[in-house]
Amino acid sequence: MAAYEFAVTVKTQYLAEQSNPERDQYVFSYTITIRNTGSVAAQLISRHWVITDANNQVQEVRGLGVVGHQPLLQPGQQFEYTSGTESATPQGSMYGEYFCVAEDGHRFEVPIPEFVLSQPGALH
């Protein structure tokens, strides 16, 4: 039986040089590695993000591909990219999902586990 699975890992970074706390602008980057852990080649078609700041302001982002790419991953292959987001608070979180289509036409979603965006020293 075919397995449709991608594994997602995330690393985040606070970008102090692009942030302006006096204006409530906190910029974060995140590097995501997507690995095809299934048994069928599949393409990442689109993404959906839910971004929440410390004031519980929620922003939803939907779009095709990631950083201009719709990578087709063979079993065992991985794709890494870095993107970013801006928040009005020094802490927040993001989670979401990727929508993928396998070579055989099967559609599936890949959950992106929630991760924290935090300015160093902002968590007490």
Side-chain angles (χ1 to χ4, degrees):
M1 193 170 119
Y4 306 99
E5 295 175 338
F6 280 9
V8 177
T9 55
V10 182
K11 291 197 277 285
T12 63
Q13 191 176 357
Y14 173 68
L15 303 179
E17 67 283 357
Q18 294 179 32
S19 299
N20 187 341
E22 291 78 36
R23 293 201 175 148
D24 291 333
Q25 291 174 324
Y26 300 88
V27 180
F28 301 92
S29 73
Y30 50 90
T31 299
I32 296 191
T33 305
I34 308 158
R35 176 184 287 279
N36 185 341
T37 53
S39 60
V40 181
Q43 186 171 20
L44 189 159
I45 301 299
S46 65
R47 68 193 184 285
H48 171 222
W49 286 111
V50 179
I51 307 163
T52 307
D53 71 16
N55 298 328
N56 281 324
Q57 294 297 312
V58 176
Q59 185 185 356
E60 286 201 54
V61 179
R62 293 174 193 275
L64 287 175
V66 288
V67 295
H69 297 277
Q70 291 182 317
L72 173 64
L73 299 177
Q74 300 295 328
Q77 276 190 327
Q78 68 179 33
F79 180 79
E80 184 177 278
Y81 73 94
T82 299
S83 190
T85 188
E86 188 177 305
S87 176
T89 62
Q91 292 104 27
S93 66
M94 286 177 67
Y95 70 91
E97 63 225 341
Y98 294 126
F99 298 95
C100 302
V101 177
E103 230 170 23
D104 61 10
H106 179 82
R107 296 169 183 273
F108 63 103
E109 292 177 14
V110 177
I112 305 163
E114 185 168 27
F115 56 94
V116 172
L117 303 167
S118 180
Q119 176 189 24
L123 292 175
H124 298 291

